Each structure stands twice: as C-alpha cells, then as structure tokens.
C-alpha cells in the first residue's frame, strides 16, 4: 500500500530536549516536505527536499533541521524544542514539481507538545 | 507568500452550492486543492497547471485564471461528506518552470448541515 508514515504520532516533551520525528514513504517520490499546522494559520512549510542531499528552507524553518540521506526518509529534527513549536506536524511526499502528477501524499501527522 | 483564501468559513445546507477562492500575488505554475477532515491528514482533490491541464476527482470542479493568479473551487449539490477544511496550494513560477515548493493558504472551513 502506498503510504507516508510518521513516528511518533504523539509526543510530549520538555523544553530543550532534542527530538526527531521520522518520515518515510514507499512510493519512490523525489519530493518530500514538512509542514506545521496551527489553528488559523493553515499549513506552513518548514523545509522541503527536491531529492537526496537537496534540501531547502520553507517559510518557517527557524528551530528545525532536516536531512535527506536516503530517498525514502526525511526526518525532522528539533535540536532544542521550545513551547512555540507545539503544533501538529505533517510530512508529505510527491513526484517532482511542475508535473500533473505533483500530488502531495500526506502522512497521518505528529502532534507535538513542548512544555 | 501564502495564497489568500476566501471566504474563511461557510455554512451550507445539503444540496446547496459553494465557491471557494484562492489568490496569489505571484505568477503561478499550478494550483492545488486539498480537503482535510477533522483529525485527519489533508487529501488531494485537484491540480490545475498553467496552460490548462488538470487532474482531479470526478465530482470536483475548479478553475484557474493564470493572468489574475486566481483559482476557484466549485462545490455543487453539497453533501454532508463535503464538510471539512479546504486548502489551496500554489506552485510559483520560477526559473525554467516551477519554483518547486508548494505553499498552502490558511484554509476555508466548510460545514454542511442536514
């Protein structure tokens, strides 16, 4: 089954404790992206990756890191989480931009709470 | 850089129609539409490319005015299952084609009542 998986689905942590949210897709997609969703603000892009070893900042990259060492995986790293990073996070994958097939497949989401 | 969606919210009775609009200040390569139900991930509805090509679900229709950098999603004869938040996503024109990333609007909450 074609899917994007994220782990963990729920996480409560404390300020400053490094954490990683994993994202994996089994569709051989080149493009992967991370979004955060907050009430009233929609889906805001954190980072995106056009292919392996190619990453770029989205609209809200501060406080986050990513890496793309393999095509299927795109982990999101919070080196020193703060309460303003409490949010719902979605990973998405797709074929290359600019194509009619550039349809985003979203993971189930990770609800993060930083106290 | 986020596209602007209107209205922010709309309430319908079953069988009524609705139009959701999306506009950008940048030249657009494509516009996407997604629906998100409460507690779930967004789900793809439609993509419209500059030049006229489009792909999407049979019961969904949308338009894309490249010159005005606007798109509209048309929901006709609404059903209870149409309830959710609708997001437009925009792919901006860049060097040689698409700039690459997809930027979403803040969403339009649609509620369909019996």
């Amino acid at each position: 089954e074609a899917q994007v998986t994220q782990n963990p689905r729920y996480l409560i942590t404390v300020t400053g404790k490094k954490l990683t949210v994993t994202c994996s897709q089994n569709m051989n997609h080149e493009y992967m992206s991370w979004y955060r969703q907050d009430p009233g603000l929609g889906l805001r892009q954190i980072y995106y990756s056009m292919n392996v070893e190619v990453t770029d900042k989205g609209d809200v990259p501060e406080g986050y890191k990513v890496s793309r060492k393999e095509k299927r995986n795109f982990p999101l790293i919070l080196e020193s989480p703060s309460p303003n990073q409490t949010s719902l996070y979605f990973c998405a994958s797709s074929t290359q931009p600019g194509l009619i097939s550039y349809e985003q497949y979203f993971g189930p989401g990770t609800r993060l709470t930083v106290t | 850089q986020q596209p602007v969606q209107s209205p922010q919210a709309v309430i319908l009775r079953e069988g009524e129609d609705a139009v959701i609009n999306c506009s950008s200040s940048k030249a657009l390569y494509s516009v996407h539409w997604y629906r998100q139900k409460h507690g779930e991930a967004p789900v793809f509805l439609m993509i419209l490319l500059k030049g006229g090509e489009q792909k999407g679900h049979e019961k969904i229709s949308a338009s894309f005015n490249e010159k005005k950098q606007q798109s509209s999603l048309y929901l006709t004869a609404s059903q209870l299952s149409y309830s959710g938040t609708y997001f437009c996503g925009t792919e901006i024109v860049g060097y040689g084609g698409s700039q690459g990333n997809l930027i979403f609007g803040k969403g339009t909450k649609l509620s369909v009542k019996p």
Side-chain angles (χ1 to χ4, degrees):
Chain A
E1 180 192 354
Q3 60 181 353
V4 178
T5 56
Q6 292 180 229
N7 282 292
R9 294 288 312 278
Y10 303 91
L11 178 61
I12 301 174
T13 189
V14 296
T15 300
K17 186 176 181 182
K18 181 180 178 180
L19 66 92
T20 299
V21 183
T22 64
C23 173
S24 183
Q25 50 95 3
N26 63 359
M27 294 168 279
N28 202 35
H29 283 161
E30 293 90 352
Y31 181 90
M32 296 186 75
S33 180
W34 277 103
Y35 297 92
R36 62 176 288 175
Q37 186 173 27
D38 304 289
L41 297 180
L43 294 158
R44 293 183 293 165
Q45 193 176 54
I46 303 170
Y47 271 94
Y48 63 99
S49 170
M50 297 287 199
N51 216 323
V52 176
E53 302 292 359
V54 180
T55 63
D56 213 340
K57 295 178 181 179
D59 286 337
V60 288
E62 294 79 19
Y64 304 95
K65 285 177 59 176
V66 293
S67 68
R68 187 95 182 269
K69 294 184 170 58
E70 305 166 279
K71 199 172 188 179
R72 63 181 293 126
N73 296 324
F74 191 43
L76 179 70
I77 302 157
L78 285 72
E79 295 268 2
S80 182
S82 63
N84 64 11
Q85 292 179 297
T86 292
S87 187
L88 178 58
Y89 291 86
F90 287 103
C91 178
S93 75
S94 175
T95 58
Q96 281 291 353
L99 303 176
I100 195 66
S101 57
Y102 186 38
E103 166 188 341
Q104 305 290 304
Y105 291 80
F106 283 85
T110 295
R111 186 165 292 281
L112 172 66
T113 302
V114 183
T115 60
Chain B
Q1 202 173 359
Q2 269 187 308
V4 177
Q5 288 185 232
S6 63
Q8 291 184 351
V10 59
I11 300 174
L12 298 175
R13 292 286 180 192
E14 264 188 300
E16 292 182 338
D17 302 337
V19 179
I20 300 173
N21 301 301
C22 175
S23 66
S24 174
S25 59
K26 307 273 188 181
L28 298 178
Y29 193 92
S30 76
V31 178
H32 297 220
W33 287 97
Y34 291 77
R35 177 170 61 212
Q36 183 180 33
K37 293 188 177 287
H38 184 70
E40 299 180 6
V43 173
F44 172 81
L45 294 176
M46 193 146 198
I47 178 173
L48 305 99
L49 296 186
K50 68 191 293 285
E53 194 176 7
Q54 57 181 258
K55 182 184 87 166
H57 292 264
E58 287 179 5
K59 296 185 178 180
I60 300 290
S61 66
S63 64
F64 177 21
N65 186 321
E66 296 171 39
K67 286 186 179 178
K68 292 187 176 180
Q69 297 152 195
Q70 294 174 346
S71 176
S72 295
L73 181 69
Y74 305 99
L75 301 167
T76 57
S78 59
Q79 304 169 18
L80 295 176
S81 62
Y82 286 13
S83 292
T85 300
Y86 289 77
F87 292 98
C88 75
T90 52
E91 190 184 0
I92 293 168
V93 171
Y95 179 76
S98 163
Q99 183 172 314
N101 58 331
L102 191 64
I103 303 295
F104 288 93
K106 294 183 178 181
T108 295
K109 186 173 183 179
L110 176 72
S111 300
V112 181
K113 308 291 185 185

